[in-house]
Amino acid sequence: MIKTEDKLMMMPGPVEVPHRVLMAMAKPMINHRGKEFSAIYDDCQRISAALFKTAPENISVISGSGTAGMEAAVGCLNSKDDKILAIENGKFGQRFKKLAGKYGTVVPLEFEWGQSVDLGAVEEKLAAGDIKTITMVHNESSTAIRNPAPEIGALAKKYGAYFILDVVSSLGGDDIRVDEWNVDIAVTGSQKCIAAPPGISMVAANERALAEMENVTTRPYYLDLVAYHKSASKELKETPYTPAVSLFFAMQEALKMIEEEGLDKRIERHYLMTKAVRDAVTAIGIDMFPQLNEVSSYSNTVSAMKAPAGISGEDIKKALNKRGVIITGGQDDLKGKIFRIGSMGATTPTNIMTTLSELEQVLYDLGVAEETGAVMGIAGETMAKLYE
Ligand SMILES: Cc1ncc(COP(=O)(O)O)c(C=O)c1O
């Protein structure tokens, strides 16, 4: 029987949290309206600005998971009659659509989950007029597709729309360029590529978005980004309400670890680990789930595989979980049809090797793989650079 603490978290978040980050949370409590907290907030803004590629003062750090950041973005920017073009090709695009319905008027643009976003269809909706805001997920974790953020940003600019982008499962593990892509508000979460515990979201909002928020009288109270900005502009930076201080300790430490690794190196590590999963599973006859077009690509941080004929993805997930490797299945209608492996945050090539070899054994036991021993060599070759 495998002990709980020996389990390896290979889900697309929450991920393994490095010991250093866990220990940071054990520090004694501090005054959340004092010098020490201000320095932590400042570190979070400064380091994450380099990940978002925007100015530090644009960033709000919120106590609440990624969805809190999504709600802050949609709710602060839109009023009931504002039209929000909600692009959906997975679970989290759907979440934006649901949020849009709470605060504005939804113009849905739905693609089958796992299909790529069609730019022509987006432009058609924009050309029909009157869209105030576009919402899209950059890295759709439910289907492992990287959606075309720069292209949608260019369309948003052309039609004068605001662009809200979810980078919850890509910031810190993929190349994000908020300013260059014309993203007005970008949202991320702590428990994915940043490798901190769940419970913090960061929202990067530019001046244009912040100015527009002043006109929105129905902004949420707790998630009011205008209030967040005001508090963070004080000489001693603070948050409007009592923050989850221990989680801020963890965020500061996790972001410092990203700084130490170097963003380019970290993105390459994510890329090679995710590619290793793809290379290995396809070599043993498993199909990838995403249907890509010319403007989309495989996720840099998570892989989604089709369950082999006659086998449920849930059975693969459960068998791996029994072996101490925690992966995840499909969500909603995709339950049983796919299984997903994350390669986010502090995940190492060794973790990937372990996961793939256990997966191969599970597939062999289920009668899918004819033999074992193939995946290690393939994944090892793909990730060779990371061992140098
Ligand atoms: C792409 C994406 N967006 C949003 C969320 C929601 O974040 P949270 O669960 O932290 O509220 C997730 C979490 O899985 C996600 O992967």
Side-chain angles (χ1 to χ4, degrees), residues 137-206:
V137 176
H138 173 244
N139 187 66
E140 183 46 87
S141 335
S142 64
T143 60
I145 293 184
R146 184 205 273 137
N147 283 324
E151 289 82 356
I152 297 296
L155 285 174
K157 189 170 185 190
K158 180 172 170 188
Y159 289 92
Y162 292 92
F163 183 23
I164 300 177
L165 186 67
D166 168 330
V167 292
V168 171
S169 62
S170 47
L171 192 95
D174 201 355
D175 187 20
I176 310 292
R177 294 166 186 263
V178 162
D179 290 351
E180 193 181 313
W181 296 350
N182 304 305
V183 177
D184 293 290
I185 312 182
V187 180
T188 199
S190 50
Q191 78 276 28
K192 313 254 177 192
C193 303
I194 295 171
I200 296 280
S201 55
M202 293 193 294
V203 181
N206 65 15

Side-chain angles (χ1 to χ4, degrees), residues 28-278:
M29 205 38 56
I30 55 168
N31 176 8
H32 63 296
R33 308 212 182 277
K35 256 191 181 163
E36 231 179 313
F37 183 79
S38 178
I40 294 171
Y41 200 93
D42 190 69
D43 267 352
C44 290
Q45 284 185 313
R46 179 182 58 77
I47 304 174
S48 70
L51 312 184
F52 281 111
K53 301 212 172 60
T54 193
E57 62 270 18
N58 290 356
I59 292 158
S60 299
V61 193
I62 298 176
S63 301
S65 74
T67 307
M70 292 168 83
E71 182 149 9
V74 173
C76 290
L77 194 62
N78 297 284
S79 310
K80 209 68 213 150
D81 294 332
D82 291 335
K83 286 192 186 167
I84 305 172
L85 177 60
I87 300 173
E88 170 185 343
N89 62 342
K91 171 89 178 168
F92 298 103
Q94 183 194 60
R95 186 166 301 179
F96 258 150
K97 181 180 75 182
K98 288 181 178 173
L99 273 168
K102 297 267 182 202
Y103 292 95
T105 303
V106 189
V107 178
L109 180 57
E110 293 154 358
F111 302 95
E112 206 178 308
W113 290 12
Q115 294 289 324
S116 294
V117 171
D118 173 32
L119 293 183
V122 176
E123 180 144 23
E124 215 171 277
K125 292 277 189 192
L126 288 167
D130 232 17
I131 299 290
K132 176 172 177 181
T133 302
I134 304 171
T135 60
M136 190 177 75
V137 176
H138 173 244
N139 187 66
E140 183 46 87
S141 335
S142 64
T143 60
I145 293 184
R146 184 205 273 137
N147 283 324
E151 289 82 356
I152 297 296
L155 285 174
K157 189 170 185 190
K158 180 172 170 188
Y159 289 92
Y162 292 92
F163 183 23
I164 300 177
L165 186 67
D166 168 330
V167 292
V168 171
S169 62
S170 47
L171 192 95
D174 201 355
D175 187 20
I176 310 292
R177 294 166 186 263
V178 162
D179 290 351
E180 193 181 313
W181 296 350
N182 304 305
V183 177
D184 293 290
I185 312 182
V187 180
T188 199
S190 50
Q191 78 276 28
K192 313 254 177 192
C193 303
I194 295 171
I200 296 280
S201 55
M202 293 193 294
V203 181
N206 65 15
E207 262 178 46
R208 176 176 179 248
L210 281 166
E212 175 58 17
M213 286 175 202
E214 301 281 355
N215 303 321
V216 177
T217 55
T218 50
R219 296 194 305 268
Y221 185 84
Y222 187 76
L223 298 171
D224 183 1
L225 291 172
V226 175
Y228 266 86
H229 275 260
K230 226 171 156 184
S231 296
S233 309
K234 294 183 181 170
E235 199 182 323
L236 286 183
K237 297 184 180 194
E238 58 181 28
T239 53
Y241 320 107
T242 312
V245 175
S246 306
L247 291 178
F248 272 77
F249 291 151
M251 270 309 263
Q252 183 190 31
E253 197 65 26
L255 288 166
K256 278 186 182 167
M257 286 185 74
I258 297 181
E259 216 177 20
E260 286 165 19
E261 181 177 7
L263 183 61
D264 292 346
K265 266 184 139 176
R266 190 176 177 94
I267 292 170
E268 186 183 35
R269 176 169 58 79
H270 279 76
Y271 170 72
L272 290 175
M273 293 190 307
T274 311
K275 186 170 187 305
V277 172
R278 268 197 320 275

